[in-house]
Amino acid sequence: MVWDELIACYLFLAGLGAGAFVLGALSSWSKTSKPHLKKAAYVIAPVAVIVGTLLLVVDARAGLHAPLRFLHLVSNLSSVMAWGVIILSLFIIVSSASLIILLAKKSTPKALDVVGMVLALCVAAYTGVLLGDADIAFPLWNMAVLPALFVVSAASTGFAAVLLTTGLIAPEETRAYPLASKAGIVLPVLEAVLIAVLLIVTAHAEGSAAVAGSASVEALLTGSYAPAFWICLVIVGLVLPLGIELGSHRVAAAPEDGSAAKRRPLALAGEVGVLIGGFALRYLVVMAAVAVGAAA
């Protein structure tokens, strides 16, 4: 499999869909009903993962050339790709069923929501494991850090996609959801910490991986990918959304004077920033990774 921009799109969409489903399921357990938010989440989740999975199929050079390739993979349970096919398929089935039930009955069983959230976590983690399963070793694709980083980023991008959509059609639901504002502060900080850990671990790779690890970090921080790293990921994807969220918290206790409507464009801009940063993260992790031996 060739790791390129197409696989970055898959990683982004799969994580986004998984995170969207989690927010939709959690909204069912809040004190106030949020029908638009949940519907947006349950539409985004299967659509994003289905499109992402199709991109994965294309990137794997399957599709019309080998339509049974992924079916054969399932029989080899020792393969990470086989488990990925199973997880993605189950999530698509469960999330699609949840959407159908929601549209038909206006509510979904809590047991189905829980199963969907567990599968969503597996999908998000798998996007990190998939890279680490490459035939050639890439120090940047650290299996101890990358799955956790992609899970956190999946939550950020999934939440952002749902909140952006809901903010356009039913902004009152997003303002009345404390989890959204808390996540807007916790997730960027946690993601920034994990990115720093990934860079530190990669830079201090030992043995034959040392040169490739240093080259990957250098490419991100000061090399050809530095503009995308600092501008798209750090500033637009982390600092901007966090700053907007912290700013909204400082004025949240102020008397209602129409300021909520004035802050709405900023809030939406913050969600867009999260999405840009989420894609930039995956693009940079894929494209800036240097294989062991390639930088020697």
Side-chain angles (χ1 to χ4, degrees), residues 9 48 85 94 101 106 109 122 177 185 187 190 202 226 237 273 288 292:
C9 291
V85 172
V94 170
I101 293 172
K106 308 301 181 183
C122 293
Y177 198 17
I185 294 176
L187 291 176
L190 185 56
T202 303
V292 173

Side-chain angles (χ1 to χ4, degrees), residues 18-222:
F21 187 93
V22 170
L23 182 60
L26 292 175
S27 70
S28 301
W29 303 336
S30 63
K31 295 180 180 179
T32 57
S33 176
K34 296 171 181 60
H36 294 92
L37 187 148
K38 184 168 183 177
K39 185 178 294 185
Y42 277 28
V43 169
I44 291 171
V47 171
V49 175
I50 288 172
V51 174
T53 302
L54 290 175
L55 293 177
L56 181 63
V57 171
V58 172
D59 192 79
R61 305 298 186 261
L64 296 176
H65 299 288
L68 298 180
R69 179 173 181 176
F70 284 95
L71 293 179
H72 294 322
L73 277 173
V74 178
S75 62
N76 180 19
L77 296 182
S78 63
S79 167
V80 171
M81 182 69 78
W83 282 105
V85 172
I86 295 172
I87 292 169
L88 289 169
S89 300
L90 290 176
F91 178 80
I92 289 171
I93 292 171
V94 170
S95 59
S96 298
S98 298
L99 175 60
I100 293 171
I101 293 172
L102 180 66
L103 295 177
K105 296 185 177 181
K106 308 301 181 183
S107 63
T108 54
K110 287 188 176 181
L112 190 62
D113 289 340
V114 171
V115 171
M117 285 194 290
V118 172
L119 289 171
L121 177 63
C122 293
V123 168
Y126 172 68
T127 60
V129 173
L130 176 63
L131 292 180
D133 190 51
D135 294 333
I136 303 174
F138 292 82
L140 187 61
W141 298 348
N142 186 283
M143 290 286 283
V145 184
L146 200 59
L149 173 58
F150 277 9
V151 167
V152 173
S153 182
S156 292
T157 55
F159 285 23
V162 175
L163 294 174
L164 177 61
T165 304
T166 309
L168 293 172
I169 59 178
E172 68 282 354
E173 290 189 15
T174 61
R175 291 196 298 267
Y177 198 17
L179 175 63
S181 59
K182 292 178 181 178
I185 294 176
V186 174
L187 291 176
V189 172
L190 185 56
E191 186 173 345
V193 170
L194 288 172
I195 290 172
V197 171
L198 178 63
L199 294 178
I200 292 171
V201 170
T202 303
H204 289 82
E206 299 178 347
S208 60
V211 176
S214 297
S216 296
V217 174
E218 181 180 354
L220 288 171
L221 299 183
T222 60

Side-chain angles (χ1 to χ4, degrees), residues 235-264:
I235 296 176
V236 175
L238 296 174
V239 176
L240 176 64
L242 179 59
I244 291 174
E245 193 61 51
L246 290 173
S248 67
H249 271 258
R250 284 196 293 268
V251 298
E256 183 61 39
D257 56 359
S259 59
K262 298 177 183 178
R263 294 196 305 272
R264 183 183 173 196

